[in-house]
Structures are given as structure tokens and as C-alpha cells.
């Protein structure tokens, strides 16, 4: 199982200009990342993404019960979990996932 420093996610969100604030005491390490509350693992990060039909914020309690250590939200009033508060959860999901997995797109070679 890989671990990523919370600071790595923080720095990526901040560099993208979408980090608004941090709430609570963030864990030093994050063990996993998901936007599916049913797949949250202990020590993991849950992405509360707002979609056209569902709002990930509605599943914060499930993520908490599943052991989420930290969440990404745009409405910090919806949770007491430690959180990265962002201006755009959909964009934050892509940025956080890329940071968690070591920026895999940088390894791609494109030929046109």
C-alpha cells in the first residue's frame, strides 16, 4: 500500500489556485483516495465531488464511518472531518488524484 504525504495534495491544490483553506488537523499521510464513499478505506481521502445528479457531500457520513482520515470539500460546514476546502471539487479531484499517484501524465510520450 502506498502512502502520500498530505502536504503533497496540499501543494498540488495550492499550485492550481483552488485551495481555499484547511479545516482541522490533517493526517501526515494519506493511504488511499476515492470519490466513492463505499470504497473509502481507513486512513484514506474522500473526494466529495459535486455532480449533475449527486453531491458527494451527501456521503460524508458514510465516508466517516468507513474510516476516512481527510476529505476534499467545497462546503466545510457539512463535515467535522479534517478537510481541504477547495473552490471546485471536480477539478480538485483530478489534481489530487494526479498528485497521489505521482503525476503519471508526466511520464507519457506523445507523438503526433
Amino acid at each position: 500500500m502506498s502512502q502520500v504525504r498530505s502536504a503533497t495534495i496540499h501543494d498540488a491544490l495550492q499550485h492550481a489556485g483552488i485551495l481555499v483553506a484547511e479545516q482541522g488537523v490533517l493526517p501526515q499521510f494519506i493511504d488511499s483516495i476515492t470519490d466513492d464513499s463505499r470504497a473509502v478505506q481507513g486512513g484514506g481521502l474522500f473526494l466529495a465531488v459535486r455532480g449533475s445528479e449527486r453531491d458527494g457531500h451527501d456521503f460524508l457520513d458514510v465516508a466517516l464511518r468507513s474510516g476516512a482520515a481527510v476529505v476534499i470539500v467545497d462546503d466545510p460546514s457539512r463535515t467535522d472531518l479534517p478537510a481541504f476546502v477547495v473552490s471546485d471539487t471536480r477539478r480538485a479531484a483530478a489534481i489530487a488524484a494526479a498528485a497521489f499517484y505521482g503525476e503519471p501524465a508526466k511520464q507519457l510520450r506523445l507523438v503526433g
Side-chain angles (χ1 to χ4, degrees):
M1 178 186 291
S2 64
Q3 285 188 325
V4 173
R5 291 186 172 277
S6 290
T8 301
I9 306 297
H10 170 274
D11 293 347
L13 295 171
Q14 187 172 44
H15 180 74
I18 62 171
L19 182 65
V20 174
E22 290 181 356
Q23 172 177 288
V25 178
L26 299 173
Q28 185 174 0
F29 292 97
I30 297 169
D31 296 331
S32 62
I33 185 170
T34 185
D35 65 351
D36 183 343
S37 61
R38 299 166 297 184
V40 172
Q41 298 174 0
L45 183 150
F46 174 65
L47 302 154
V49 178
R50 289 188 191 270
S52 59
E53 294 187 25
R54 299 198 192 258
D55 181 354
H57 291 74
D58 294 339
F59 301 95
L60 287 164
D61 287 339
V62 175
L64 172 64
R65 287 192 303 272
S66 297
V70 62
V71 295
I72 291 181
V73 296
D74 61 17
D75 182 357
S77 69
R78 306 268 309 260
T79 186
D80 291 328
L81 280 164
F84 294 106
V85 182
V86 297
S87 57
D88 180 345
T89 55
R90 184 169 299 283
R91 187 164 171 230
I95 292 164
F100 183 84
Y101 291 108
E103 304 290 342
K106 290 183 178 178
Q107 304 301 317
L108 293 176
R109 262 184 115 166
L110 299 179
V111 178

